[in-house]
Amino acid sequence: MNNPYNKHYRQESYFGKPYPGLVEFFENYSNRNVVLDLGCGQGRDALFLGRLGYKVVGVDISDVGIQQLNKAALQEKLQVEGFVADIYSFGITDEYDIVLLDSMFHFYKNDVEKETKVLRRIIEEIKPGGLICNFMQKGNKREKELKRIIKESGVTFEVLLDGYTDYPEYDAEFHMYIIKKLE
Ligand SMILES: C[S@@+](CC[C@H](N)C(=O)[O-])C[C@H]1O[C@@H](n2cnc3c(N)ncnc32)[C@H](O)[C@@H]1O
């Protein structure tokens, strides 16, 4: 499949390690259940979560990223499996307790419509009790947009984490928003 990330992923660990804030949250979260990592890339988060004991399904359109993820998961005998698929049509079934989106949204003008649509679908489809974990580059406008879409969905969530984490590899800060769908 032709994807610009295939070229980036010739470099090992292109995006580096998981953010310290992501590591801290998932190390301390007691329900080690099933995670759907939408846009998992080479699997920096999926493999980390697999090592912690989570079962992870990763989805990405980069076949190169998915091959790398599956190879590492197999070598380490993790419960992590990647699939080449489009996140914009991937169904969020009851199988998934946690949906992870890392660096997938930015709400730029050209993408805001499709990103809003997929976020609305995730909000609707995730089961009650399920978590949506969004990590994106810090930015007042995009954080407001994220929260607006969630609020306007009418679905009630408990906010488990609303904060920032360092991203040492890129000398940047990322916004972490982790919410739980109420029954
Ligand atoms: C910025 S990278 C983030 C990768 C990973 N979440 C991480 O943080 O390491 C964006 C990823 O989204 C994937 N992607 C972009 N559009 C996609 C789509 N429609 N369906 C599935 N994956 C997509 C790209 O191939 C790339 O791996």
Side-chain angles (χ1 to χ4, degrees):
M1 210 180 270
N2 189 17
N3 174 321
Y5 282 94
N6 277 347
K7 201 171 156 197
H8 297 320
Y9 293 159
R10 283 186 206 151
Q11 183 186 322
E12 203 180 315
S13 296
Y14 181 74
F15 286 108
K17 295 187 187 128
Y19 318 113
L22 182 150
V23 169
E24 193 185 338
F25 177 83
F26 283 103
E27 277 181 348
N28 292 311
Y29 191 65
S30 48
N31 298 334
R32 303 271 155 106
N33 31 30
V34 185
V35 180
L36 175 64
D37 184 355
L38 290 177
C40 59
Q42 293 168 297
R44 64 171 171 156
D45 299 332
L47 294 167
F48 161 73
L49 293 172
R51 289 176 195 125
L52 280 184
Y54 290 87
K55 184 179 173 194
V56 187
V57 172
V59 174
D60 203 287
I61 40 167
S62 166
D63 53 337
V64 173
I66 291 297
Q67 270 167 28
Q68 294 168 345
L69 179 154
N70 282 335
K71 191 175 166 198
L74 206 67
Q75 270 169 358
E76 294 186 46
K77 297 189 170 61
L78 303 175
Q79 287 195 91
V80 176
E81 194 171 8
F83 297 91
V84 178
D86 186 344
I87 67 157
Y88 291 97
S89 51
F90 198 86
I92 318 296
T93 61
D94 274 5
E95 196 188 332
Y96 307 112
D97 304 285
I98 300 173
V99 173
L100 172 62
L101 295 138
D102 184 355
S103 310
M104 296 309 290
F105 295 145
H106 39 65
F107 303 116
Y108 293 140
K109 206 172 164 196
N110 287 344
D111 297 318
V112 67
E113 198 181 320
K114 69 172 187 177
E115 290 179 0
T116 303
K117 206 169 153 193
V118 74
L119 178 56
R120 282 201 187 124
R121 190 168 61 72
I122 295 166
I123 289 169
E124 285 302 321
E125 290 183 358
I126 192 162
K127 64 184 176 193
L131 305 193
I132 300 176
C133 307
N134 188 65
F135 293 77
M136 68 182 174
Q137 193 154 10
K138 182 178 180 178
N140 201 18
K141 207 173 149 201
R142 65 176 70 114
E143 288 165 35
K144 273 193 179 147
E145 186 66 7
L146 174 79
K147 290 176 183 173
R148 186 187 64 77
I149 297 164
I150 294 166
K151 192 172 175 210
E152 286 182 3
S153 72
V155 178
T156 318
F157 288 92
E158 178 190 350
V159 178
L160 301 187
L161 180 62
D162 183 4
Y164 299 98
T165 180
D166 291 340
Y167 184 12
E169 273 91 347
Y170 279 70
D171 197 18
E173 264 194 288
F174 267 60
H175 179 236
M176 310 183 284
Y177 201 55
I178 301 187
I179 55 176
K180 183 179 188 176
K181 189 173 184 174
L182 297 180
E183 310 289 323

